[in-house]
């Protein structure tokens, strides 16, 4: 079911703001993207400008999707996630992780959570 453009514009889209600088450029710029809508992006010299431009890009992107009758995905929301992930690995890695957790006096879940947290901060 399609809704009016205004309905989609007011949804809680997940956006990302990153600093970008080409190797040969003396100045950089901010790039803003909507995670749920690949290709919906804009930029600006400041974070405010990039986000303002992203709002315009979002409107154009959604209009083109509606015109082409392309299904618009729902935004990701933290409330949709329960915090449970089925994770499979090799028996050797499972053993090594369990051993490491025991050595540190923490649970295997804690060890995995710390590793994920570390990656999210650096990656």
């Amino acid at each position: 079911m399609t809704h009016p453009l205004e309905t989609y514009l007011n949804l809680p889209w997940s956006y990302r703001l990153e600093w970008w600088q080409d190797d040969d450029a003396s100045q950089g710029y901010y790039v803003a993207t909507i995670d749920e809508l690949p290709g919906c992006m804009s930029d600006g010299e400041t974070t405010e400008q990039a986000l303002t431009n992203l709002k315009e890009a979002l409107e154009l992107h959604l209009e083109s999707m509606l015109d082409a009758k392309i299904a618009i995905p729902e935004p990701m929301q933290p409330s949709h996630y329960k915090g449970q992930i089925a994770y499979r690995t090799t028996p050797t890695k499972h053993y090594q992780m369990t051993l490491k957790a025991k050595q540190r006096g923490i649970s295997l879940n804690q060890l995995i959570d710390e590793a994920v947290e570390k990656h999210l901060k650096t990656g």
Side-chain angles (χ1 to χ4, degrees):
M1 169 186 228
T2 44
H3 300 283
L5 176 62
E6 199 64 33
T7 300
Y8 292 112
L9 288 172
N10 292 318
L11 292 175
W13 299 103
S14 305
Y15 66 89
R16 193 171 351 153
L17 196 57
E18 298 177 289
W19 176 252
W20 186 263
Q21 186 169 359
D22 294 327
D23 292 336
D24 57 343
S26 61
Q27 290 189 340
Y29 51 95
Y30 290 94
V31 175
T33 57
I34 302 283
D35 290 330
E36 297 91 345
L37 300 171
C40 184
M41 61 190 335
S42 194
D43 61 40
E45 292 180 14
T46 64
T47 56
E48 294 81 12
Q49 185 182 37
L51 291 173
T52 297
N53 293 343
L54 183 61
K55 286 179 186 175
E56 293 174 22
L58 175 62
E59 185 171 352
L60 293 171
H61 194 89
L62 291 171
E63 281 178 347
S64 67
M65 290 179 78
L66 289 169
D67 288 346
K69 299 188 182 347
I70 297 171
I72 297 173
E74 285 192 35
M76 296 170 42
Q77 295 180 35
S79 62
H80 291 166
Y81 299 90
K82 296 178 181 160
Q84 297 175 343
I85 300 171
Y87 172 72
R88 295 189 187 275
T89 188
T90 65
T92 301
K93 284 182 190 168
H94 189 178
Y95 167 76
Q96 290 171 332
M97 291 187 305
T98 303
L99 187 60
K100 177 69 102 179
K102 246 187 207 317
Q103 290 168 350
R104 294 192 44 214
I106 61 176
S107 70
L108 180 56
N109 281 344
Q110 252 182 303
L111 181 79
I112 293 169
D113 205 38
E114 287 177 8
V116 169
E117 185 68 29
K118 183 179 177 182
H119 179 75
L120 291 175
K121 288 180 181 177
T122 61

